[in-house]
Amino acid sequence: SRRKAFMTHAPAVDLSVIEELRELETEDPNLVADLIDEFLKSTPVRIAKIRAAISASRPDEVGRIAHALKSGAGALGAVRLS
């Protein structure tokens, strides 16, 4: 499928997104590192919440949390997760 071909050949991170974020670092030189750190800290918590929502048969909550995870990944250019 086209999606599978894209996923096979696409980089894990779109570096152009990182470069755009780096342009914002003029006021906060740690912006990109801080955003990545926050994503890495929040991801295991979100995954645990997704698992709990699945176990509790709460599909709306699963969708909400998964969307937040996907959005955070997309904001950092993690194209394979977004």
Side-chain angles (χ1 to χ4, degrees):
S1 74
R2 291 177 69 185
R3 179 168 171 76
K4 185 175 180 181
F6 170 77
M7 297 303 284
T8 303
H9 296 96
V13 176
D14 180 349
L15 295 180
S16 69
V17 174
I18 299 296
E19 289 305 315
E20 288 177 21
L21 290 171
R22 289 201 187 280
E23 290 175 12
L24 302 174
E25 286 188 322
T26 56
E27 294 184 28
D28 181 359
N30 297 317
L31 177 67
V32 174
D34 290 346
L35 289 172
I36 292 170
D37 284 346
E38 182 57 35
F39 179 78
L40 293 175
K41 287 178 190 173
S42 67
T43 296
V45 173
R46 286 183 172 152
I47 291 171
K49 288 181 178 182
I50 289 170
R51 287 184 175 139
I54 290 169
S55 294
S57 298
R58 294 189 309 250
D60 291 344
E61 189 172 344
V62 172
R64 181 182 57 76
I65 299 166
H67 179 73
L69 180 60
K70 183 177 176 180
S71 295
L76 294 173
V79 294
R80 290 192 183 178
L81 292 176
S82 64

